[in-house]
Amino acid sequence: DKAGHKHFMSKEIFEQPTVLAECLTHYAPGDRVALPEDALDFAQTDRLILVACGTANYACLVAKYWFEQLAGLPCEVDIASEFRYRAPPVSEAATALFVSQSGETADTLAALRYASDKAARIISVVNVPQSSIARESDLALPILAGVEVGVASTKAFMNQLGVLANLAILAARQRGHIDAARETELLATLRAVPGLVNQALALEERIQKQTGKLAEARSVLFLGRGAMFPLALEGALKLKEISYIHAEGYASGELKHGPIALVDKTVPVIVMAPRDALFDKTVSNMQEVLARDGRVWLITDAEGAEIAGDGVWQTLIIPRIEPDLCAHALCRAGTVDRLSYSPAQRHRCGPAPQPGQVGDGGMS
Ligand code: BG6
């Protein structure tokens, strides 16, 4: 049942505020993260290894910033199909964490099996608690997103981030990087996110108007710094997968090392620039695009648009968010999915997904 939506993907995008709120309440019902602490000893962990495929891999890349910055925990993120064949060394004191919506993706499962007799513990973050990946983990944490029918992950991505944010906060506490007051503050910021995602989704009409122009592009670039960098990768992946428009995501600072050559007035460049510590840096990369007659689509808040909106092609103003690591990425996760869905709706949206369809369970 698509609940009045044209596609399951649209329905699932609009479910994000609700499922995220449920997930956050489950993992932090009060002012402390309530995860099984015995099974999650981040104080003794020397390295966190995060492994996944596709969108789940981008959730891991976002979480790397949180684990490193909040908890000072060294972190590696790997694509499962690379990790499993590379035979990487895994320290006995490492925690290996596998993220998968379906819990059945063959490469992620094989990577888990590779690490299982090497790492201190195997944790998984899954949407299907009865899945193979969940069953073969020491601890499986459900993301509580409900069935995701759309093949391209949307609400599952959001809730993967929700669980990973709670894990990062727990790691920060266990490693002595935050005190109780800071934990309460971080959780309060997180709890505000579903409301902000709601506000971002309310921009639907505006997004649809703007993406009409995007649908004419042959190629699109997404730029971001910090945790916005993996979101740039996710935005590009979604646009390719759903709208069949060629897109690439880059770390803003890498633009000048090659991809700038692609920029001209036919290539929209979507710049994700929240008003955080990296804002000025991202805006300066944006100026490089403008200097080449690039068509910049700036996604920022009202203050960011006021400062940097001159000369850009389009601006999408999304709610202002406390300059806090977790909240920023979560709110924008909802926006990039919505944006990729729009051009597809106008053009081609691929075959309708079958109920119960999950990620690629085959070999890759
Ligand atoms: C891909 C899907 O085939 O599988 C992606 O299109 C998904 O959206 C990826 O992220 C991995 O799937 P899973 O189930 O392991 O998260």
Side-chain angles (χ1 to χ4, degrees):
D1 173 20
K2 299 194 205 95
H5 288 266
K6 206 166 164 194
H7 305 105
F8 279 106
M9 184 176 172
S10 169
K11 173 178 175 262
E12 288 162 2
I13 287 172
F14 278 87
E15 282 170 2
Q16 289 179 115
T18 312
V19 294
L20 178 63
E22 284 164 9
C23 171
L24 296 176
T25 307
H26 178 83
Y27 286 106
D31 53 10
R32 303 268 280 176
V33 170
L35 277 158
E37 292 185 38
D38 299 347
L40 289 163
D41 191 351
F42 288 113
Q44 300 305 319
T45 294
D46 68 350
R47 183 161 293 273
L48 179 65
I49 301 171
L50 296 142
V51 184
C53 296
T55 290
N57 179 254
Y58 295 147
C60 295
L61 282 173
V62 171
K64 178 181 163 81
Y65 290 86
W66 301 340
F67 282 106
E68 288 181 353
Q69 291 173 22
L70 281 176
L73 179 57
C75 223
E76 287 165 18
V77 179
D78 238 301
I79 295 166
S81 57
E82 287 298 313
F83 183 86
R84 66 176 288 197
Y85 295 117
R86 204 176 66 239
V90 175
S91 121
E92 281 175 15
T95 293
L97 199 156
F98 300 84
V99 181
S100 172
Q101 187 284 126
S102 62
E104 299 294 349
T105 300
D107 285 324
T108 310
L109 182 58
L112 181 152
R113 289 179 177 157
Y114 170 79
S116 64
D117 59 351
K118 300 177 184 67
R121 61 193 65 76
I122 304 289
I123 312 295
S124 61
V125 172
V126 291
N127 199 27
V128 183
Q130 310 79 11
S131 60
S132 308
I133 288 175
R135 279 189 278 110
E136 295 191 29
S137 307
D138 298 320
L139 175 70
L141 300 169
I143 61 168
L144 308 166
V147 175
E148 188 173 66
V149 177
V151 175
S153 203
T154 55
K155 63 175 180 172
F157 179 55
M158 178 69 79
N159 276 25
Q160 286 161 355
L161 291 173
V163 176
L164 291 166
N166 275 282
L167 280 167
I169 294 170
L170 175 69
R173 186 216 301 157
Q174 288 183 333
R175 294 169 69 83
H177 280 244
I178 55 168
D179 60 14
R182 178 74 179 130
E183 182 167 349
T184 306
E185 198 178 85
L186 284 167
L187 289 175
T189 315
L190 270 186
R191 234 170 264 134
V193 175
L196 296 168
V197 175
N198 238 332
Q199 287 179 37
L201 292 175
L203 298 168
E204 182 181 20
E205 220 172 285
R206 201 186 150 112
I207 292 178
Q208 241 180 45
K209 268 191 207 140
Q210 290 182 301
T211 44
K213 293 182 194 157
L214 201 65
E216 291 153 21
R218 293 199 52 201
S219 190
V220 176
L221 297 180
F222 285 75
L223 300 182
R225 267 179 194 264
M228 295 302 115
F229 163 45
L231 285 192
L233 297 175
E234 167 64 6
L237 173 71
K238 278 289 178 292
L239 202 61
K240 279 183 274 210
E241 190 176 6
I242 301 303
S243 308
Y244 309 148
I245 297 172
H246 170 253
E248 298 298 335
Y250 284 99
S252 306
E254 275 295 289
L255 183 74
K256 57 173 152 310
H257 302 296
I260 189 90
L262 293 173
V263 172
D264 63 23
K265 57 180 183 313
T266 67
V267 180
V269 181
I270 298 178
V271 179
M272 288 186 281
R275 283 283 290 142
D276 60 12
L278 300 169
F279 178 77
D280 292 346
K281 291 262 170 205
T282 307
V283 167
S284 119
N285 301 129
M286 192 182 93
Q287 302 299 345
E288 294 162 14
V289 174
L290 291 173
R292 295 216 163 203
D293 289 332
R295 290 197 299 169
V296 169
W297 185 356
L298 176 63
I299 301 182
T300 186
D301 47 50
E303 203 186 320
E306 178 85 32
I307 298 168
D310 277 355
V312 303
W313 176 47
Q314 305 195 72
T315 311
L316 181 65
I317 297 177
I318 67 168
R320 164 113 184 106
I321 302 162
E322 288 308 305
D324 181 276
L325 296 167
C326 305
H328 265 313
L330 275 164
C331 190
R332 274 155 188 84
T335 314
V336 292
D337 285 348
R338 186 65 196 80
L339 186 150
S340 306
Y341 173 73
S342 254
Q345 211 187 3
R346 281 161 178 261
H347 287 254
R348 36 192 177 169
C349 205
Q354 299 305 305
Q357 201 156 2
V358 294
D360 176 13
M363 305 283 281
S364 48

